[in-house]
Every structure is written in structure tokens, then in C-alpha cells.
Amino acid sequence: MGSFLKKYYIKKILKKNKIIINKTNTTEVLSLIERLRPQNVGLDLIRLGSDEDGGYLIPDDLDNLEACFSPGVHQISDFDKACSDRGMHLYLADKTIEKPNLDIDSSKFTF
């Protein structure tokens, strides 16, 4: 980060009476970013859920999975429905909604 940006952010922090206690070094941050990149695991990808928001490409390795943990389901639950259709029990979480938008038996999910 350039010195101008450092000074800018330090001034913003000081204005809010905030103190930086620990700062992660750049090498560690870059290492984390590198590890978060998509990896080829040698399996074909399948789409679960819709072709738009609410759908995901995941490795085709779902045999014998009993559950799906899905934080942040919001109003679009196509992925979760597809997991339920494959026999998985759903564990859903989202503090922004009162109940998930799912057209499945309530015994098949925990919200």
C-alpha cells in the first residue's frame, strides 16, 4: 500500500477513535488469497440450483452425503432444494429472514 493510502486510512481510523492493534503482514494475506482460488480436484462439476443466483457449480462427489450446511440462504434457496432432492437434511441459517423460501417438508430442514 502506498504511503498516501496509509496516511489516508490512518487519518480515517484516528477520526473514529479506533486503534489498530494487530496487522497481518502482506505475505500472509497474499498466501491466503492464493489458497482461496478454485482448485481442480479431478472431478467433473455439476450445477445444483438455478442457472443464476441460488445455483452453484460443485464437484460431482455427493454420494453418501447426509447433510448440507448453508449459511446465508436469504430468499433464493434453489441450491438447498437441490440438496434436499438428493436426500440431504438441510441446516440453514440467515438472520435477515424469518423462514427460508423452500417448498419442501419442514422435517427435511433445520432453520
Side-chain angles (χ1 to χ4, degrees):
M1 182 183 305
S3 63
F4 172 78
L5 285 176
K6 280 184 183 177
K7 289 177 186 176
Y8 171 78
Y9 285 116
I10 289 171
K11 285 181 184 177
K12 281 187 76 99
I13 290 168
L14 290 175
K15 283 182 182 178
K16 293 183 178 185
N17 295 322
K18 305 277 182 178
I19 299 172
I20 297 174
I21 297 172
N22 293 321
K23 180 181 173 188
T24 305
N25 71 47
T26 304
T27 304
E28 289 180 47
V29 172
L30 293 174
S31 174
L32 173 63
I33 292 170
E34 183 65 32
R35 290 191 316 264
L36 293 176
R37 290 186 182 188
Q39 302 291 315
N40 184 347
V41 295
L43 296 168
D44 290 334
L45 298 178
I46 58 171
R47 177 174 289 283
L48 285 187
S50 70
D51 287 340
E52 297 171 6
D53 192 18
Y56 299 94
L57 287 174
I58 61 172
D60 189 5
D61 189 22
L62 303 177
D63 294 340
N64 302 315
L65 286 183
E66 297 177 10
C68 171
F69 294 85
S70 187
V73 294
H74 199 50
Q75 292 296 325
I76 301 172
S77 302
D78 298 342
F79 175 80
D80 310 296
K81 170 83 166 76
C83 289
S84 177
D85 291 345
R86 289 176 168 257
M88 294 179 222
H89 184 82
L90 306 176
Y91 294 91
L92 311 170
D94 194 317
K95 71 175 188 171
T96 66
I97 59 173
E98 289 186 33
K99 64 179 186 172
N101 184 20
L102 278 171
D103 187 24
I104 62 172
D105 183 334
S106 63
S107 68
K108 294 183 177 185
F109 69 90
T110 303
F111 181 69

